[in-house]
């Protein structure tokens, strides 16, 4: 077994293509866009590398690639939290523990050599990207920007010595008509709080992106694992999401014309990515625009209210505004994710509106 860093174009291709071997017979797997993974790992293009470092490795046995991993250090994260944490991500491995062990060994050594005291993951590359091993809910495909993996990954991690750092929850909400009494309650809250609701304004794209990030950085500041996005990271994310966003599903709550809360919901583009097989050439783009109209579900990816405006009913107003917009557009279900397992406020809220806890994810860690 040899674990080596990516040093050639062929190594990179082996790294990128390994999931097609791991998930060859899994109908729930959604192939990632190869161009997206290449961008994330490119230190010349991805603004993450202005405050972080990473190195990717493949495990090779008898000339065959059997696993991959990326070792990561995010200086912004460690500075913000006052920690010395190294991360691992992009982990994939055939069902062979020795390969997983060799990969974890290499990531641990890489982080330890750079002064880290904890190894945590998976994150691809940060908690703002896909993160965590799927723990429960292997019977369905993941929605966009959520992870999926074989069930043996979590077993390999535990066998290696990783322990639970934090579990993440995903709730599923089916389409149903909003009761009249709830609508009346929402109107009372809006009047009491001098609250207005508006959708994202594509004509003022940069302004509204900044409003979202301001709320995000305020509302999530004390959350476990949070790290603020830099200006360049915001710009890259906005460019990525601009052609995917549905303005009616990006909704602001404003008090005296000042945004105090936001919910960002996106169609489940994974339903289309399944058809593209990792490519995005002219034919795949045509297929993308053809099949995006058939997407029947959405993911509420960001839902936050500034701290000083919480527990005043604004969350309910945002939720029901989103529900009304989604039903008008014809969507049949919504995933509310991801939530920290100990965020009782948001978990109880998701249950109160009819959400069912249907998937769990786990981030693991160990001292090194």
């Amino acid at each position: 077994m040899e674990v080596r860093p990516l040093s050639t174009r062929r190594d990179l291709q082996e790294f990128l293509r390994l999931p097609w071997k791991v998930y060859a017979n899994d109908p729930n797997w959604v192939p990632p866009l190869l161009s997206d993974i290449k961008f994330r790992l490119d230190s010349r293009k991805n603004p993450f590398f202005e405050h972080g470092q990473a190195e990717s490795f493949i495990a090779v046995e008898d000339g065959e690639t059997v696993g991959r991993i990326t070792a990561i250090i995010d200086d912004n994260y460690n500075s913000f939290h006052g920690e010395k944490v190294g991360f691992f991500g992009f982990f994939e491995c055939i069902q062979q523990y020795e390969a997983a062990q060799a990969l974890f060994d290499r990531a641990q050594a890489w982080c330890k050599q750079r002064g880290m005291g904890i190894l945590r993951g998976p994150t691809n590359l940060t908690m703002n990207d896909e993160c965590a091993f799927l723990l429960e809910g292997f019977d369905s495909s993941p929605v966009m920007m959520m992870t999926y993996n074989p069930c043996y990954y979590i077993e390999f991690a535990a066998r290696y010595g990783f322990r639970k750092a934090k579990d993440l929850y995903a709730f599923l909400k089916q389409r149903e008509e909003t009761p009249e009494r709830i609508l009346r309650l929402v109107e009372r809250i809006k009047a009491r709080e001098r609250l207005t609701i508006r959708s994202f304004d594509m004509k003022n794209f940069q302004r509204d992106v900044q409003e979202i990030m301001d709320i995000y950085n305020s509302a999530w500041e004390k959350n476990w694992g949070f790290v603020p996005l830099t200006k360049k990271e915001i710009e890259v994310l906005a460019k990525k999401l601009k052609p995917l966003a549905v303005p009616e599903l990006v909704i602001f709550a404003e008090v005296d014309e000042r945004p105090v809360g936001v919910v960002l919901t996106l169609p489940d583009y994974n339903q289309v990515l399944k058809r593209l097989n990792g490519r995005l050439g002219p034919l795949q783009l045509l297929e993308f625009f053809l099949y995006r109209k058939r997407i029947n579900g959405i993911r509420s990816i960001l839902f936050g209210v500034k701290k000083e405006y919480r527990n005043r009913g604004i969350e309910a107003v945002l939720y029901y505004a989103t529900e009304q917009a989604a039903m008008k557009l014809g969507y049949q279900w919504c995933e509310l994710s991801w939530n920290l397992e100990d965020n009782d406020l948001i978990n109880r809220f998701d249950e109160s509106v009819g959400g069912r806890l249907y998937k769990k994810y786990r981030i693991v860690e160990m001292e090194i």
Side-chain angles (χ1 to χ4, degrees):
M1 181 81 64
E2 176 193 10
V3 177
R4 64 172 186 251
L6 308 187
S7 58
T8 67
R9 182 173 296 181
R10 182 177 178 181
D11 287 344
L12 176 60
Q13 288 304 312
E14 289 291 312
F15 182 96
L16 294 172
R17 279 293 177 182
L18 179 64
W20 274 259
K21 181 187 303 183
V22 174
Y23 300 96
N25 300 308
D26 192 331
N28 291 325
W29 178 60
V30 178
L33 285 178
L34 293 170
S35 58
D36 181 55
I37 305 301
K38 288 171 70 174
F39 172 82
R40 292 198 220 177
L41 297 175
D42 193 333
S43 60
R44 299 164 300 176
K45 297 179 180 179
N46 188 345
F48 165 82
F49 289 96
E50 294 182 358
H51 57 83
Q53 53 184 309
E55 187 164 12
S56 298
F57 305 88
I58 52 174
V60 181
E61 185 176 42
D62 297 328
E64 180 182 359
T65 300
V66 295
R68 74 180 199 185
I69 200 167
T70 301
I72 306 154
I73 295 174
D74 183 355
D75 293 335
N76 278 5
Y77 178 92
N78 286 327
S79 175
F80 188 82
H81 290 276
E83 298 179 337
K84 288 188 175 294
V85 177
F87 294 88
F88 71 89
F90 297 102
F91 175 82
E92 301 285 3
C93 183
I94 66 170
Q95 195 167 1
Q96 179 182 328
Y97 174 70
E98 291 74 19
Q101 182 181 33
L103 290 163
F104 290 143
D105 281 348
R106 192 59 182 267
Q108 180 181 170
W110 188 92
C111 291
K112 188 173 183 178
Q113 288 169 3
R114 289 158 178 79
M116 300 298 104
I118 293 174
L119 180 63
R120 183 181 298 161
T123 62
N124 301 341
L125 295 157
T126 75
M127 292 282 288
N128 293 317
D129 302 297
E130 299 93 345
C131 59
F133 287 130
L134 179 63
L135 181 66
E136 296 179 14
F138 294 92
D139 56 347
S140 59
S141 294
V143 300
M144 68 170 301
M145 297 179 70
M146 294 295 284
T147 55
Y148 182 81
N149 53 262
C151 58
Y152 59 83
Y153 280 13
I154 199 76
E155 298 169 8
F156 284 176
R159 182 175 173 183
Y160 186 76
F162 284 106
R163 64 182 185 275
K164 182 180 93 168
K166 190 74 69 174
D167 282 356
L168 312 177
Y169 290 171
F171 290 81
L172 184 66
K173 171 70 166 63
Q174 299 291 347
R175 177 190 177 111
E176 62 181 2
E177 294 298 325
T178 305
E180 188 65 31
R181 60 182 177 81
I182 298 297
L183 295 176
R184 290 196 298 268
L185 174 62
V186 166
E187 290 305 317
R188 288 201 297 271
I189 294 171
K190 289 167 67 176
R192 184 188 70 210
E193 300 295 332
R194 305 189 311 282
L195 196 68
T196 56
I197 297 296
R198 70 169 178 87
S199 298
F200 190 96
D201 184 357
M202 295 298 287
K203 293 180 180 179
N204 289 285
F205 182 82
Q206 295 298 334
R207 181 202 67 187
D208 277 4
V209 165
Q210 190 57 55
E211 297 285 11
I212 291 172
M213 290 302 104
D214 287 346
I215 295 170
Y216 173 74
N217 287 335
S218 170
W220 276 266
E221 184 181 11
K222 301 301 180 182
N223 277 9
W224 183 90
F226 169 80
V227 60
L229 291 164
T230 67
K231 185 176 184 296
K232 285 190 178 180
E233 285 173 325
I234 292 170
E235 291 172 353
V236 167
L237 184 60
K239 183 178 180 180
K240 176 182 176 180
L241 295 180
K242 187 174 184 178
L244 305 177
V246 177
E248 296 92 330
L249 295 177
V250 184
I251 299 175
F252 291 95
E254 297 184 334
V255 174
D256 299 331
E257 299 185 352
R258 291 188 303 108
V260 299
V262 67
V263 56
L264 168 61
T265 305
L266 294 172
D268 177 26
Y269 288 107
N270 271 10
Q271 295 180 33
V272 183
L273 288 183
K274 260 193 170 185
R275 297 176 171 272
L276 305 187
N277 200 32
R279 300 291 184 183
L280 200 57
L283 289 178
Q284 288 83 7
L285 275 173
L286 180 62
E287 193 167 16
F288 175 83
F289 286 110
L290 177 65
Y291 282 96
R292 68 183 295 177
K293 298 178 181 179
R294 303 185 186 182
I295 295 172
N296 65 353
I298 54 180
R299 179 189 170 203
S300 184
I301 193 171
L302 188 151
F303 191 166
V305 174
K306 289 184 176 181
K307 183 177 180 180
E308 59 269 31
Y309 290 93
R310 293 177 190 163
N311 300 313
R312 289 158 62 168
I314 295 175
E315 295 87 351
V317 175
L318 279 168
Y319 171 80
Y320 286 107
T322 301
E323 183 176 72
Q324 293 296 299
M327 288 196 297
K328 188 174 181 180
L329 292 167
Y331 294 108
Q332 300 300 310
W333 55 264
C334 176
E335 180 177 298
L336 309 159
S337 63
W338 48 259
N339 303 347
L340 295 170
E341 62 176 327
D342 50 4
N343 190 337
D344 295 333
L345 180 65
I346 192 65
N347 290 330
R348 286 197 303 267
F349 177 80
D350 287 352
E351 290 178 338
S352 73
V353 298
R356 171 177 63 88
L357 177 59
Y358 86 123
K359 288 182 185 286
K360 293 183 181 180
Y361 301 82
R362 177 162 293 175
I363 294 175
V364 298
E365 68 180 14
M366 66 184 302
E367 294 182 359
I368 56 176

